[in-house]
Amino acid sequence: MATNKLAALVVLVAFLAGPAACEGINICLNFNGWLKPSILDPLFCPRGSGPPVPSPSGSGLSYGYYNTRCPTAEKIIKDAVKKAVDENPGIGAGLIRLFFHDCFVRGCDASVLLNTTNSQNSDTEREGLPNKDSLRGFEVIDEAKTAIEAACNNTVSCADIVAFAARDASYFLSNGSINIRMPGGRYDGRESFANETDQLPGPFSNVAQLQASFAAKGLTSDEMVTLSGAHTIGRARCMFFSSRFSEMDPAYAAKLRAECNGNGNTNVNQDDVTSNVLDKQYYQNVLDNKVLFTSDAVLNSTVTRAQVTENADKAGEWERKFEKAMEKMGKIKGDQQGLEIRKFEKAMEKMGK
């Protein structure tokens, strides 16, 4: 009876509030694919109903941006990334993910780094469901920022450091097979909000939700499939895929069950074959039903299977597409008002250092 009353209340609120209910009340229970879907989601909170975001234009960005402004900047970042990846390849995977999670919320403005904001908000993107206790690589950004500030004070943005670090991590994790052209000239945002991380596609997303999430950032369905290939590295918590054991390859599922051992917070490799190499193995894993997330498995559908098969079969095909997709993602811009080059002391303070 109590359940029926709650459902009736939710329906009434949604009816009275109309589309605004999706913004002010947490009716969208799947948080864009980060929680298992609710039957209410398609009724009251259709994906893609927000304001459209222009395609990445790269306006104001340029290649070699720091060649004269701070000639040592990119080498400092590359050295910091190489050191980290040599010690722990998982940090390299974390840097690529950090870049993705930054650019998908407010554009590539390093808002993902903030613990507190210009308006004294502490419920930042780092506290959002997709990010909390799972983002990695902050110490690499800190190290690079420290060294760069000593060489060129107040010149290089945190946003550019995040972008260049993802580029360099991709290079080292692919053993030099991936070379991303990454422009510079980004500025750092002053605001960051946990509730805006619902723009990030989640592990329970279906194909339509994935396509809508990427389209909202000016990225195509093929670029969505391409960027999903980053799941060939890194680790994931069992809570995000343990409900799928019965849908996986039986031997693979048995191995994962043993590794998870009933603990949803246990982390396992996303790619069981070449876990520390950024390569096209992910696409063969999709075809073999040996992937973790719903959002991975759904790529083996009639909508996207052709791209998956092409990436799996053609040597060098995915690597070239990944280079271009990462470059394009790095040009996503949000609201350009109130941006800055975050000063070192301010950056450390706002990152909780």
Side-chain angles (χ1 to χ4, degrees):
M1 180 66 70
T3 301
N4 290 339
K5 288 182 178 179
L6 176 61
L9 178 60
V10 169
V11 171
L12 178 60
V13 170
F15 176 76
L16 294 175
C22 295
E23 300 172 9
I25 299 175
N26 188 21
I27 295 175
C28 294
L29 300 178
N30 74 344
F31 205 72
N32 201 16
W34 282 94
L35 298 174
K36 283 181 284 187
S38 160
I39 59 172
L40 297 176
D41 293 340
L43 292 176
F44 303 120
C45 300
R47 297 259 60 89
S49 58
V53 176
S55 298
S57 66
S59 175
L61 305 181
S62 62
Y63 301 96
Y65 184 84
Y66 293 106
N67 285 354
T68 57
R69 292 175 174 88
C70 186
T72 59
E74 293 194 41
K75 184 180 186 305
I76 289 172
I77 297 166
K78 179 170 279 191
D79 288 347
V81 172
K82 186 178 190 308
K83 174 186 170 186
V85 171
D86 285 347
E87 292 176 358
N88 180 1
I91 296 299
L95 289 169
I96 295 172
R97 185 171 184 257
L98 190 67
F99 177 56
F100 181 90
H101 282 223
D102 183 37
C103 292
F104 257 61
V105 183
R106 294 182 162 256
C108 309
D109 67 346
S111 56
V112 74
L113 302 181
L114 297 175
N115 273 330
T116 59
T117 71
N118 198 54
S119 61
Q120 302 306 309
N121 170 52
S122 60
D123 193 25
T124 65
E125 292 168 34
R126 290 173 69 159
E127 297 300 309
L129 177 62
N131 295 335
K132 190 172 178 61
D133 300 326
S134 67
L135 291 178
R136 293 192 293 173
F138 295 112
E139 68 278 14
V140 182
I141 307 302
D142 293 350
E143 181 179 334
K145 180 70 171 174
T146 302
I148 287 173
E149 287 296 304
C152 317
N153 184 50
N154 198 30
T155 303
V156 181
S157 68
C158 294
D160 277 343
I161 295 174
V162 171
F164 291 142
R167 174 199 63 187
D168 297 336
S170 299
Y171 176 82
F172 292 123
L173 289 171
S174 67
N175 297 316
S177 296
I178 293 175
N179 292 274
I180 301 166
R181 294 182 73 235
M182 188 63 71
R186 298 168 188 82
Y187 284 85
D188 299 321
R190 297 170 184 254
E191 297 295 347
S192 179
F193 302 97
N195 62 5
E196 293 183 351
T197 59
D198 66 351
Q199 299 170 65
L200 289 158
F204 298 105
S205 299
N206 58 37
V207 172
Q209 289 173 321
L210 291 170
Q211 289 175 323
S213 293
F214 280 75
K217 306 303 173 185
L219 298 167
T220 67
S221 179
D222 188 59
E223 287 164 339
M224 175 271 290
V225 175
T226 298
L227 290 168
S228 295
H231 286 179
T232 192
I233 51 169
R235 295 168 68 79
R237 283 181 284 183
C238 295
M239 68 175 71
F240 291 123
F241 61 83
S242 56
S243 61
R244 290 195 60 250
F245 285 145
S246 62
E247 303 167 14
M248 298 176 181
D249 172 85
Y252 180 59
K255 183 176 184 298
L256 290 175
R257 281 182 190 273
E259 290 183 24
C260 293
N261 196 27
N263 185 348
N265 286 315
T266 297
N267 285 287
V268 303
N269 289 328
Q270 294 200 82
D271 178 355
D272 197 44
V273 182
T274 56
S275 58
N276 290 328
V277 182
L278 185 61
D279 59 14
K280 65 185 180 68
Q281 178 62 43
Y282 167 81
Y283 297 99
Q284 190 59 53
N285 295 345
V286 171
L287 296 172
D288 292 340
N289 203 16
K290 294 181 179 180
V291 287
L292 299 183
F293 304 139
T294 298
S295 59
D296 297 322
V298 296
L299 299 185
N300 191 17
S301 67
T302 54
V303 179
T304 52
R305 188 179 300 128
Q307 295 106 299
V308 170
T309 303
E310 183 178 71
N311 291 340
D313 291 347
K314 292 185 178 180
E317 178 75 12
W318 172 73
E319 288 83 354
R320 302 292 79 77
K321 291 199 295 186
F322 187 74
E323 291 169 349
K324 292 177 182 177
M326 286 283 281
E327 178 186 357
K328 183 177 178 181
M329 185 172 69
K331 297 176 182 178
I332 297 175
K333 286 191 169 186
D335 183 0
Q336 297 298 292
Q337 298 299 314
L339 299 186
E340 63 183 355
I341 293 177
R342 207 171 289 153
K343 292 184 178 179
F344 178 68
E345 296 81 2
K346 188 176 179 181
M348 296 300 103
E349 177 185 349
K350 289 192 173 183
M351 289 174 65
K353 302 299 179 182

